[in-house]
Structure formats: C-alpha cells, structure tokens
Amino acid sequence: MPVALNHTIVAAHNKLASARFLADILGLEVSPEYGPFVPVEIPNGVTLDYIDSPDPITPQHYAFLVTEGEFDEIFARVKAAGLTYWADPFHRRTMEINTNDGGRGTYFDDPNGHNLEIITRPYGSGG
C-alpha cells in the first residue's frame, strides 16, 4: 500500500460549527461525532477531524483540488455567504480569483482563521 494521508486534526473554537462551515461550502456532509472529533470526509478519503480548542488557534492552510464544475459551485457558495476571497495566499488581491497553471483558484478564511483554498489545477502542472 502506498503512503497516503488519512486524516488531520483541525483546531476550532466550535468544532461542529466549523465542520458544518467547511461541509456546506464544499458541498459535503458532516460525519457523526467520533470521540472528541467532528469529521468531514473529503471525497479522496482524507478526513478533517475538527476538535474544540480553548487556546488561541494558529491558522493553518488547507487546499482542495476540485473540478471546474465544482469550482463554480463552491465559488458561488463562497460569494452567497458574503465571504471575502483572495487570488493569493497573502490576501493582497481581494475579491479576485487567480488563473495559475491554466486553472482557477481562490482563498477564503473559515470561522477560525484557517486559510482555505480551492484550485482546479495543481501548482506546477503548467498551463
């Protein structure tokens, strides 16, 4: 079996609300609570396990490779939610998308300040 990422833990101030935010934006489901975690399974089998943290949260970056059609659907939900989005990871190009490597991409924050990204082409894939 090749090495594959199975899950990662995502710190949140409200694990259920944060899991619902991600699932709603990406068009996924929140799985039943498992121990201290609220999981959201990504279609490639990786699970983001949300856990409550009373401590300050260090923002992390989570990038999701999506199809062109999924990008349109997710981006429409980002805009409908009134979220600020950026074309770059440094949040300098506000309310823009990028066309890196011949695809499309954008960044937006979750309720805990985690930097979420949707892209239609992996970085370095040309275009």
Side-chain angles (χ1 to χ4, degrees):
M1 169 187 279
V3 175
L5 181 64
N6 177 262
H7 69 277
T8 191
I9 297 172
V10 181
H13 293 298
N14 181 323
K15 63 186 178 185
L16 184 56
S18 296
R20 281 191 180 141
F21 173 85
L22 180 71
D24 288 348
I25 288 291
L26 295 183
L28 303 173
E29 298 292 324
V30 175
S31 297
E33 197 163 339
Y34 181 76
F37 306 108
V38 176
V40 176
E41 186 174 347
I42 308 304
N44 67 351
V46 175
T47 303
L48 280 71
D49 292 332
Y50 283 84
I51 190 167
D52 284 330
S53 175
D55 300 321
I57 294 173
T58 301
Q60 301 296 314
H61 175 72
Y62 300 96
F64 302 94
L65 182 61
V66 300
T67 66
E68 289 289 339
E70 290 167 331
F71 185 94
D72 290 337
E73 293 169 5
I74 295 165
F75 189 53
R77 289 190 287 268
V78 166
K79 291 191 296 186
L83 299 175
T84 301
Y85 55 91
W86 299 269
D88 64 294
F90 305 107
H91 295 183
R92 293 185 186 132
R93 294 174 47 203
T94 305
M95 307 311 267
E96 294 181 37
I97 65 170
N98 67 58
T99 55
N100 298 340
D101 291 299
R104 293 184 292 162
T106 196
Y107 300 79
F108 53 97
D109 290 342
D110 87 343
N112 302 287
H114 295 303
N115 192 17
L116 307 180
E117 177 184 14
I118 54 172
I119 55 174
T120 61
R121 297 281 304 263
Y123 291 124
S125 64

